[in-house]
């Protein structure tokens, strides 16, 4: 039973922590990424996204805590190697070996993946029109990104981990990349991608993890955002009793004069009724966008 | 996978290797092809400037061609270049890749860090060995062209310790690049250290008796071997084993560092 539960997740971390010297880049991060999902890993620059990804892939070691990717222990090198046979990664800067041509990069990478998808390689080569005999250092940034994507998508991976995949790309290229990600997910791959672009996460993700200063602030689905997340505004004649708003689902309470604004992740009906019962003269319940939720959550963290 | 990794290591170092091969050929060929010209110049100097204070090896090098090659190639001039080349062949690794921005790609591949290191080291050793062969061929061919008798076993018996000593510097370089981040910083540090070592050891290379405190650093003398080496038994095997042990220690330290590093 326990095994089947674990296998439901592509990524699991438990109190994952990373220090660089005295700086705590990741603080006790506990998160679950379901298999088959497209999970957006949101956060500002320096929030700890890349540090987390590097730990997941065995590039750096956790200071504390544990993690499993496709049920392989990230701290165990043998298991990490097995995991990496099933995972494709595209880093933020998408740098490739300067001394190799595009063709050599493909041949080199292919050698490590018995399940290499020649069909995907061919399709993307045609689509991107990559010059096989050109050194990667002579490629434009867009072409280098396309090469990096080809090398990742043709691995036939169960899990794609993309670190800021659209960073530095023009809108057309970024859009194409997002289409590829959705296509890979449709083929059965799980996707875990970090970004600080809320719009692109909203466009393709079905699950959101928001991290700030190394801590998880939000773990929800896009569906939940549209159906459950609400902002409730109440205008009071007299000062409200704030402790009365300490209810299940309340994520943030802000007071501006006689107006109380509450961000709720669920339970909005009960919370609105409680505010009316507290003599709020006008209570307004409105849906929230992902952008509003992210900004509110980050405000809370900064307060 | 190993083949792909070896190919990667070769592509990464091939420019350095080809430059090293050209330098090796140029230097070794120069001292064979230009021997007569140098010798004539020395003889002229002896006549015109009898007041010159010539070093101890000078007169023998004028009369004894294998000794001339020993002095310039195995003991002094080329040995210094050789050590620089060995250091350059060892530069690379994950720290350098991190500076380049490719460490993430490499580490996402399903291979152990140990295998990455071992493959890179293996290719570098193979390149150093190839340079040894190139040096021997250049000396023998150059001597043949100039009709100067040069015994091949003399070359073999001197190039063997030169290769073994080169391994120490290669391993030190492999190790250093795991400790020092950056693209060029390890090169500057390694070459600076080698320059200092040779500056300090030069009096002994020139023939001064070895002081006790200089013994642990006497690798230049060990690489040169005795001038009158004639048989396998003349090779300083103990020193060679110590060299290889030193190379192994540097390699082990480098591996340990790499295994523990975050990229």
């Amino acid at each position: 039973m326990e095994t089947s539960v674990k296998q439901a997740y592509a990524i699991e971390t438990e109190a994952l922590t990373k220090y660089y010297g005295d700086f705590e880049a990741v603080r006790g991060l506990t998160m679950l990424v379901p298999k088959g999902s497209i999970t957006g890993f949101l956060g500002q620059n320096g929030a700890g996204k890349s540090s987390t990804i590097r730990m997941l892939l065995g590039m750096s070691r956790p200071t504390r805590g544990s993690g499993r990717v496709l049920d392989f222990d990230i701290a165990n090198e043998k298991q990490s190697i097995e995991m990496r046979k099933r995972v494709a990664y595209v880093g933020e800067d998408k740098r490739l070996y300067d001394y190799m041509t595009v063709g050599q990069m493909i041949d080199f990478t292919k050698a490590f993946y018995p399940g290499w998808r020649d069909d995907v390689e061919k399709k993307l080569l045609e689509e991107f029109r990559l010059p096989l005999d050109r050194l990667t250092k002579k490629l434009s940034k867009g072409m280098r990104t396309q090469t990096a994507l080809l090398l990742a998508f043709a691995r036939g991976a169960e899990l794609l981990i993309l670190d800021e995949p659209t960073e530095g790309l023009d809108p057309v290229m970024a859009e194409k990349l997002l289409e590829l990600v959705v296509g890979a997910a449709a083929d059965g791959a799980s996707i875990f991608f970090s970004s600080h672009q809320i719009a692109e996460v909203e466009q393709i993700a079905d699950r959101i993890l928001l991290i700030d200063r190394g801590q998880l602030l939000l773990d929800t689905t896009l569906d939940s955002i549209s159906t459950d997340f609400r902002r409730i505004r109440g205008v009071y004649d007299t000062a409200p009793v704030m402790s009365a708003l300490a209810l299940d689902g309340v994520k943030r309470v802000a007071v501006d004069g006689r107006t109380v604004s509450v961000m709720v992740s669920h339970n909005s009906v009960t919370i609105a009724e409680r505010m009316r019962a507290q003599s709020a003269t006008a209570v307004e319940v409105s849906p929230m966008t992902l952008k509003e939720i992210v900004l509110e959550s980050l405000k809370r963290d900064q307060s | 996978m190993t083949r792909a990794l070896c190919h990667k290591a070769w592509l990464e170092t091939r420019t350095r290797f080809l430059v090293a091969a050209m330098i090796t050929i140029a230097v070794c060929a120069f001292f064979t092809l230009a021997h007569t010209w140098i010798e004539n110049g020395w003889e002229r100097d002896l006549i015109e400037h009898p007041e010159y204070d010539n070093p101890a090896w000078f007169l023998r090098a004028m009369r004894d061609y294998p000794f001339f090659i020993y002095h310039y190639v195995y003991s002094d001039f080329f040995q210094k270049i050789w050590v620089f080349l060995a250091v350059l062949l060892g530069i690379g690794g994950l720290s350098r890749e991190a500076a380049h921005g490719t460490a993430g790609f490499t580490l996402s591949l399903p291979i152990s860090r140990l295998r990455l290191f071992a493959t890179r080291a293996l290719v570098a050793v193979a390149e150093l060995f190839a340079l040894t062969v190139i040096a021997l061929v250049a000396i023998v061919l150059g001597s043949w062209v100039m009709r100067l008798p040069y015994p091949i076993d003399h070359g073999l018996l001197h190039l063997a310790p030169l290769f073994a000593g080169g391994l120490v510097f290669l391993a030190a370089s492999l190790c250093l690049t795991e400790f020092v981040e950056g693209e060029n910083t390890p090169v500057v540090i390694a070459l600076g250290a080698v320059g200092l070592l040779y500056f300090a050891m030069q009096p002994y290379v020139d023939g001064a008796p070895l002081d006790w405190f200089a013994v642990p650093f006497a690798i230049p003398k060990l690489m040169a071997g005795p001038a009158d080496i004639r048989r396998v038994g003349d090779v300083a095997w103990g020193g060679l084993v110590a060299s290889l042990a030193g190379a192994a220690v540097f390699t082990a330290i480098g591996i340990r560092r790499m295994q523990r590093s975050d990229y």
Side-chain angles (χ1 to χ4, degrees):
Chain A
M1 181 64 190
E2 195 188 337
T3 307
S4 64
V5 170
K6 279 187 173 177
Q7 285 174 346
Y9 298 106
I11 299 171
E12 303 165 72
T13 67
E14 176 70 38
L16 199 63
T17 302
K18 182 67 188 176
Y19 276 90
Y20 294 107
D22 292 335
F23 176 66
E24 193 175 15
V26 180
R27 303 177 184 193
L29 186 66
T30 299
M31 65 177 187
L32 295 171
V33 174
K35 274 192 174 173
S37 68
I38 302 181
T39 301
F41 192 36
L42 272 169
Q44 295 171 288
N45 289 328
K49 304 187 295 292
S50 295
S51 293
T52 304
I53 287 175
R54 280 199 288 271
M55 282 191 281
L56 294 176
L57 288 164
M59 295 172 197
S60 68
R61 280 159 179 68
T63 309
R64 280 197 302 272
S66 61
R68 299 185 81 81
V69 174
L70 298 175
D71 215 24
F72 293 102
D73 184 355
I74 59 170
N76 178 308
E77 191 179 19
K78 279 187 181 168
Q79 290 199 33
S80 178
I81 291 169
E82 282 305 310
M83 172 265 286
R84 279 180 267 145
K85 288 178 183 169
R86 299 160 174 84
V87 174
Y89 164 72
V90 178
E92 185 179 357
D93 49 13
K94 302 165 194 82
R95 288 294 297 268
L96 302 167
Y97 305 134
D98 281 352
Y99 45 84
M100 283 193 190
T101 63
V102 173
Q104 285 171 330
M105 279 301 311
I106 293 172
D107 290 340
F108 172 74
T109 312
K110 197 189 283 193
F112 297 91
Y113 298 94
W116 182 264
R117 297 274 305 271
D118 286 317
D119 56 328
V120 174
E121 176 195 328
K122 195 177 167 191
K123 179 181 157 241
L124 293 182
L125 271 178
E126 282 173 11
E127 191 170 329
F128 295 151
R129 295 181 188 175
L130 292 168
L132 285 170
D133 55 351
R134 191 179 301 175
L135 284 170
T136 60
K137 68 178 172 188
K138 292 185 176 168
L139 295 175
S140 64
K141 176 147 190 180
M143 277 185 161
R144 208 169 65 219
T145 301
Q146 288 170 329
T147 309
L149 291 172
L150 184 153
L151 297 174
F153 284 90
R155 291 179 194 190
E158 292 173 40
L159 170 65
L160 277 158
I161 297 181
L162 312 170
D163 192 1
E164 306 276 4
T166 57
E167 182 72 22
L169 296 183
D170 63 62
V172 175
M173 186 59 215
E175 190 62 29
K176 195 172 268 185
L177 185 150
L178 296 178
E179 283 171 17
L180 274 173
V181 170
V182 172
D187 286 345
S190 308
I191 314 287
F192 181 71
F193 75 107
S194 76
S195 179
H196 54 260
Q197 303 288 338
I198 295 169
E200 72 185 28
V201 172
E202 201 163 25
Q203 186 181 339
I204 62 165
D206 49 38
R207 193 166 191 87
I208 309 292
L209 294 167
L210 175 64
I211 185 176
D212 191 51
R213 292 184 227 175
Q215 286 182 307
L216 193 66
L217 291 187
L218 189 68
D219 176 359
T220 188
T221 63
L222 256 289
D223 284 346
S224 174
I225 284 171
S226 59
T227 58
D228 301 330
F229 269 82
R230 293 291 182 267
R231 185 196 305 281
I232 307 175
R233 277 201 186 88
V235 180
Y236 289 80
D237 288 333
T238 54
V241 181
M242 298 304 290
S243 59
L245 291 175
L247 297 168
D248 181 33
V250 172
K251 302 293 279 186
R252 180 175 183 266
V253 179
V255 181
D256 181 12
R258 292 188 301 123
T259 304
V260 175
S261 179
V262 184
M263 182 174 94
V264 302
S265 61
H266 58 279
N267 205 22
S268 59
V269 174
T270 307
I271 295 164
E273 280 172 4
R274 176 68 64 92
M275 289 170 76
R276 285 188 193 102
Q278 269 197 309
S279 75
T281 53
V283 175
E284 178 191 308
V285 181
S286 55
M288 292 184 79
T289 63
L290 175 61
K291 185 176 178 180
E292 288 170 327
I293 293 166
V294 167
L295 293 177
E296 289 278 334
S297 300
L298 291 175
K299 257 190 230 168
R300 186 184 72 155
D301 191 52
Q302 284 158 2
S303 63
Chain B
M1 276 197 272
T2 304
R3 198 175 154 193
L5 287 173
C6 286
H7 188 228
K8 171 186 179 292
W10 161 245
L11 291 176
E12 194 177 357
T13 54
R14 101 184 132 176
T15 306
R16 272 178 272 163
F17 172 75
L18 292 174
V19 170
M22 283 191 282
I23 291 171
T24 300
I25 292 169
V27 174
C28 293
F30 173 79
F31 284 115
T32 54
L33 302 177
H35 169 260
T36 310
W37 174 71
I38 293 170
E39 194 182 45
N40 290 340
W42 284 350
E43 280 176 356
R44 209 168 39 246
D45 281 350
L46 272 182
I47 295 164
E48 292 173 6
H49 302 285
E51 75 281 9
Y52 278 3
D53 185 17
N54 293 311
W57 53 267
F58 180 74
L59 288 176
R60 185 174 172 189
M62 272 184 68
R63 312 275 176 245
D64 182 347
Y65 176 66
F67 183 82
F68 173 88
I69 293 295
Y70 165 79
H71 175 75
Y72 276 112
V73 176
Y74 311 128
S75 175
D76 200 347
F77 189 79
F78 178 68
Q79 188 195 113
K80 288 169 186 157
I81 291 173
W82 174 258
V83 166
F84 275 81
L85 298 180
V87 166
L88 286 180
L89 290 178
I91 296 291
L94 284 171
S95 289
R96 198 162 198 247
E97 285 205 24
H100 261 287
T102 56
F105 179 84
T106 304
L107 288 170
S108 75
L109 299 170
I111 31 169
S112 67
R113 294 182 181 196
L114 180 62
R115 196 164 176 179
L116 278 171
F117 187 98
T119 316
R120 195 167 68 83
L122 191 75
V123 170
V125 170
E127 288 172 339
L128 195 68
F129 182 75
L131 287 184
T132 312
V133 174
I134 287 168
L136 181 67
V137 170
I139 292 166
V140 170
L141 265 181
S143 303
W144 179 75
V145 168
M146 297 305 291
R147 297 176 189 281
L148 293 162
Y150 183 76
I152 292 180
D153 55 348
H154 183 266
L156 285 171
L157 291 173
H158 278 295
L159 283 168
L162 203 66
F163 172 67
L167 289 180
V168 179
F169 290 96
L170 176 65
S173 179
L174 288 166
C175 175
L176 182 74
T177 49
E178 298 301 339
F179 279 88
V180 182
E181 289 178 12
E183 201 171 333
N184 298 315
T185 318
V187 184
V188 173
I189 292 174
L191 295 185
V194 166
L196 273 177
L197 173 73
Y198 272 87
F199 179 75
M201 296 307 294
Q202 190 59 45
Y204 308 112
V205 171
D206 287 337
L210 201 60
D211 294 306
W212 63 270
F213 53 81
V215 171
F217 308 103
I219 194 163
K221 276 189 89 73
L222 189 75
M223 289 167 78
D228 293 311
I229 202 165
R230 288 288 180 270
R231 296 173 292 115
V232 173
D234 295 337
V235 175
W237 291 108
L240 281 187
V241 170
S243 291
L244 295 176
V249 168
F250 278 126
T251 306
I253 294 169
I255 289 172
R256 191 177 167 83
R257 170 72 181 186
M258 179 205 55
Q259 296 277 33
R260 293 176 168 208
S261 293
D262 288 337
Y263 296 99

